[in-house]
Amino acid sequence: VPAKTYDTGAYHEPGAIGILFKIVHAFLYLVQPNSFPQGKQIILFFNTDVLLPENVVLTLQAIYYEIGFIVSAALGLLFILLLPLVGLCFCMCRCCDNCGGEMHQRQKKNADCQRSCFATFLFVASLIIRQVVGVLCAYAANQHLTNQVRGAKKLVNSNFKDLKIFLNDTPAQIDYLVSQYNTTKDKALSDLNKSMLLSRCKMHFKAIRETKEALENVSVSVEVLQEGTERLHANLTDVKMHLSNTLNDSACSAAQAASTCNVIRNSLSQLNINANFSGLPGVSSQLAKVNDVLKIDLSSLVQKVSFNDTPDLVVNQTRNILSDIKTVLESIGSNITTFTKALPVQKILADLMIYLTQSEAYVQDYFPVVEQYDFYRWLGCLILCCMVVLILVFYYLGLLCGTCGYDKHASPTTRGCISNTGGNFLMAGVGFSFLFSWVLMIVVVLTFVTGGNVEKLVCEPFEDKNLFKILDTPYLLNQHWKNYLAGILFKNPNVNLTFEKVYSDCKENKGIYTSLHLEYLFNINEFLNISMYTEDVALRIEHIQINLSKIVLLDEIGKENLLNFSSSGIDGIDFSAYLTEINKSVTKVDLLSFANDLEARADQL
């Protein structure tokens, strides 16, 4: 029964979420480029009884590993502490009229340029930092997490359904495997009940006819090859003669063409036959002798003798032995069936089904609660995103009103309502930034530090199997167990059963019995291995003695015919000579390559 690796819903999505994942993963690698801790570095998280000097070293190693997250968290905490303090100081200064614009206006030459630069910087900073990277990414991540939680219900139900199907089908699959022995047993009994003597005689007679057909094919093939090589040799001779006549032309004696003509003239010796099929020995005499042998039908001669009584004769002489062999084969099937009935499969499956049903009911009962809390989380994140959007709106409205209502000829006391409203919007944006930015930073610090460590310490090691290597570290999870998984399953920590091996076997769709080494609980091979019975069956077959002296298969004519076949000279045919010539190329040079080379040299002339 193959094991099944159930889907966890982890996958890489295309589009915006995929791009966001790559951006976050690249930033995470920038903050934490260190590889997964190995060896003693991980013991710190599980063992608190190590010596003090080693504990200090391991602590320093853990700090070095987490230095990126520590620095990021420190910067976030510094922002959380300083921002409300700066906002408080700003508000106190505003209340004391010691902060902000003055009530008189000085016109400077670069005032317009300075004002434009400030407005542009505020617009670009708000657009990039707050909207694109901030609001959109936060909203996309928030919605994606909600979609994953909603999709988890369907995924969990599918996995529970698969597990139930697996448990329900296991008994039927065991019965199917047991029934496959009947196929082997029926074939063995069928062979024991048949006499194979007649069929083997016919098979040998058939070999004589196949020999005749093979000799005929050899004879015809040799004739075809000989005729073909003769025609090819004549054609090549004509070609060489024409080329020689052409090369004797006076044009080839010119200095520019002499070297090319000499090369062509020297290559003409390659236009010859390489394989000599005319020298192969013929097989006509052997074929004639085989034809003489086949003029007598040996199969009919065998049928004429008292061959029909042979099966009854064999059965009578081996009746007791065949009965014992059939009894042994039946006992093997009975032992296999008894073993399968003795296994506590039904009880184990029933207990697992009860546990599975209870787990499914528990999940179904509490999943609405999970969805409800996820809705609260989604709503809270949406409110935080809306607050960022609100601050963004205040800034943009302030820029818009300030730009539209600005009059450089008006004094601060005589400015219009639109200009003052723009200033109020900008100050409102600053005020809301001081009020809510530190709350957003708290959320960012907590989620980044927690999620980043989960990604680096759980997700990535799970993907590259380093996590399994840590779990399989001897005496790590239990100081007295070498292999923790084997200790849990078999109460024997010395069994070589590891998390990594079980996971790899499940990914390769191997059976649970093989993956979990369940032979340490119940060894099926002891019952299904029939090698213990084959020795007994082989001894009984060896003691079979059948007297066939009264049966005459062939008369004198048939025996003489077979002797003629043995002296037909087939064994004297030199087949190696045939193979040697066939493996040779027909000509000394590849004609196509020679023709291409000749055409190229002709173009030079």
Side-chain angles (χ1 to χ4, degrees):
V1 181
K4 182 173 181 180
T5 305
Y6 294 99
D7 188 11
T8 59
Y11 59 96
H12 298 294
E13 290 193 28
I17 297 299
I19 297 174
L20 177 61
F21 173 82
K22 292 180 180 179
I23 294 174
V24 173
H25 199 271
F27 179 73
L28 181 62
Y29 181 79
L30 181 65
V31 174
Q32 171 56 291
N34 300 321
S35 59
F36 189 70
Q38 301 289 334
K40 287 187 177 181
Q41 296 177 358
I42 202 65
I43 298 179
L44 178 65
F45 298 101
F46 296 94
N47 191 356
T48 57
D49 297 332
V50 293
L51 299 177
L52 183 60
E54 189 174 1
N55 198 352
V56 173
V57 173
L58 292 174
T59 303
L60 293 176
Q61 291 178 346
I63 293 175
Y64 174 76
Y65 178 79
E66 293 285 338
I67 189 66
F69 291 112
I70 293 175
V71 172
S72 300
L75 293 176
L77 292 176
L78 188 64
F79 181 88
I80 294 170
L81 294 176
L82 292 181
L83 189 66
L85 183 61
V86 172
L88 180 62
C89 295
F90 178 77
C91 292
M92 293 178 64
C93 289
R94 291 288 292 177
C95 293
C96 297
D97 294 331
N98 292 324
C99 186
E102 299 177 356
M103 296 306 292
H104 63 277
Q105 185 172 357
R106 301 188 184 99
Q107 294 293 338
K108 299 180 180 179
K109 293 182 179 180
N110 62 344
D112 293 335
C113 179
Q114 187 179 20
R115 189 178 297 107
S116 300
C117 291
F118 285 155
T120 303
F121 177 77
L122 179 60
F123 178 82
V124 174
S126 300
L127 181 66
I128 295 177
I129 297 177
R130 294 187 180 275
Q131 185 176 11
V132 178
V133 181
V135 179
L136 292 181
C137 291
Y139 178 79
N142 184 38
Q143 188 63 39
H144 178 67
L145 182 58
T146 299
N147 294 336
Q148 291 295 311
V149 173
R150 292 175 181 175
K153 184 176 183 180
K154 181 180 180 181
L155 181 65
V156 170
N157 292 335
S158 176
N159 285 341
F160 275 119
K161 181 181 178 181
D162 290 339
L163 288 172
K164 287 183 177 180
I165 293 175
F166 171 73
L167 295 179
N168 291 329
D169 290 349
T170 298
Q173 293 185 10
I174 293 176
D175 294 338
Y176 173 77
L177 293 176
V178 172
S179 65
Q180 297 307 300
Y181 172 75
N182 293 330
T183 304
T184 305
K185 181 189 70 175
D186 295 340
K187 179 66 171 118
L189 294 177
S190 175
D191 290 343
L192 289 173
N193 291 329
K194 291 180 180 180
S195 175
M196 307 298 293
L197 186 58
L198 179 60
S199 60
R200 290 188 179 183
C201 291
K202 292 182 178 180
M203 181 177 63
H204 289 299
F205 296 155
K206 183 181 178 181
I208 299 176
R209 192 172 302 278
E210 291 176 350
T211 302
K212 175 215 172 187
E213 295 175 355
L215 290 175
E216 290 177 346
N217 292 334
V218 171
S219 179
V220 173
S221 299
V222 169
E223 292 178 0
V224 172
L225 290 173
Q226 290 175 349
E227 294 177 359
T229 52
E230 290 177 359
R231 291 195 303 269
L232 180 59
H233 178 70
N235 293 335
L236 292 177
T237 302
D238 292 339
V239 170
K240 287 196 292 183
M241 182 180 65
H242 288 301
L243 288 175
S244 298
N245 295 333
T246 302
L247 294 173
N248 292 329
D249 190 271
S250 58
C252 281
S253 59
Q256 298 176 347
S259 61
T260 303
C261 291
N262 289 332
V263 172
I264 298 175
R265 186 179 294 108
N266 294 332
S267 65
L268 294 181
S269 60
Q270 299 177 351
L271 294 178
N272 286 319
I273 299 297
N274 187 38
N276 184 17
F277 297 110
S278 60
L280 294 177
V283 295
S284 57
S285 60
Q286 292 89 343
L287 180 59
K289 292 180 180 180
V290 173
N291 288 329
D292 293 338
V293 171
L294 290 176
K295 290 180 180 179
I296 299 175
D297 190 359
L298 295 177
S299 299
S300 62
L301 292 179
V302 174
Q303 294 286 358
K304 290 179 181 179
V305 301
S306 57
F307 206 82
N308 293 328
D309 297 333
T310 303
D312 295 334
L313 179 62
V314 174
V315 170
N316 292 330
Q317 296 186 24
T318 61
R319 187 181 303 277
N320 295 332
I321 297 177
L322 293 179
S323 177
D324 293 341
I325 294 176
K326 291 178 181 180
T327 302
V328 172
L329 294 176
E330 293 288 350
S331 64
I332 295 174
S334 300
N335 290 339
I336 294 175
T337 303
T338 303
F339 164 71
T340 56
K341 300 298 182 183
L343 288 176
V345 176
Q346 296 292 345
K347 184 178 183 303
I348 295 175
L349 294 178
D351 294 340
L352 289 176
M353 185 62 73
I354 293 174
Y355 176 76
L356 189 64
T357 303
Q358 292 176 350
S359 300
E360 184 178 13
Y362 179 83
V363 171
Q364 295 295 339
D365 291 340
Y366 282 91
F367 203 85
V369 179
V370 174
E371 289 182 331
Q372 183 178 4
Y373 280 104
D374 178 71
F375 173 74
Y376 295 151
R377 179 206 57 79
W378 176 84
L379 186 61
C381 292
L382 185 63
I383 292 174
L384 292 177
C385 291
C386 291
M387 293 306 303
V388 176
V389 173
L390 181 61
I391 296 172
L392 183 68
V393 170
F394 283 151
Y395 284 151
Y396 285 166
L397 289 178
L399 290 173
L400 180 62
C401 293
T403 302
C404 296
Y406 172 69
D407 184 5
K408 64 180 181 179
H409 299 292
S411 64
T413 57
T414 60
R415 286 173 183 163
C417 177
I418 297 178
S419 179
N420 288 330
T421 303
N424 292 332
F425 275 131
L426 290 177
M427 295 308 300
V430 173
F432 276 102
S433 296
F434 284 126
L435 289 175
F436 295 106
S437 294
W438 65 277
V439 178
L440 290 174
M441 183 56 68
I442 291 176
V443 176
V444 170
V445 170
L446 292 178
T447 54
F448 179 72
V449 173
T450 304
N453 278 286
V454 170
E455 171 70 18
K456 298 294 292 187
L457 295 176
V458 179
C459 297
E460 287 186 0
F462 179 82
E463 184 177 0
D464 57 21
K465 298 184 180 180
N466 279 327
L467 182 61
F468 297 116
K469 294 179 181 178
I470 295 299
L471 296 177
D472 293 329
T473 302
Y475 311 107
L476 178 62
L477 300 180
N478 189 309
Q479 297 180 0
H480 306 287
W481 287 356
K482 181 180 179 180
N483 296 308
Y484 182 78
L485 185 58
I488 291 293
L489 293 179
F490 310 128
K491 306 302 180 184
N492 183 6
N494 295 321
V495 176
N496 187 19
L497 181 65
T498 62
F499 289 97
E500 182 180 6
K501 186 65 169 59
V502 171
Y503 178 78
S504 299
D505 289 345
C506 290
K507 292 289 287 185
E508 295 174 3
N509 208 28
K510 291 185 178 180
I512 290 180
Y513 184 87
T514 303
S515 301
L516 296 180
H517 294 281
L518 296 181
E519 64 269 14
Y520 290 97
L521 289 179
F522 48 87
N523 193 350
I524 296 179
N525 292 329
E526 293 180 358
F527 296 89
L528 299 184
N529 186 10
I530 63 173
S531 59
M532 64 182 71
Y533 306 102
T534 55
E535 183 178 358
D536 185 27
V537 175
L539 289 175
R540 294 178 184 273
I541 294 177
E542 288 179 0
H543 287 84
I544 295 178
Q545 295 181 357
I546 304 174
N547 185 9
L548 300 176
S549 59
K550 297 181 181 181
I551 298 177
V552 179
L553 296 178
L554 293 174
D555 55 9
E556 293 300 327
I557 298 176
K559 293 179 181 178
E560 183 180 359
N561 202 28
L562 289 179
L563 291 175
N564 292 335
F565 176 73
S566 64
S567 61
S568 61
I570 296 176
D571 54 343
I573 298 176
D574 188 8
F575 290 103
S576 60
Y578 287 88
L579 295 176
T580 301
E581 295 301 324
I582 290 175
N583 290 330
K584 293 180 181 178
S585 59
V586 180
T587 57
K588 293 183 178 180
V589 66
D590 183 9
L591 296 182
L592 182 60
S593 300
F594 184 86
N596 292 333
D597 184 61
L598 182 62
E599 185 176 3
R601 297 187 185 279
D603 292 338
Q604 295 178 5
L605 297 175

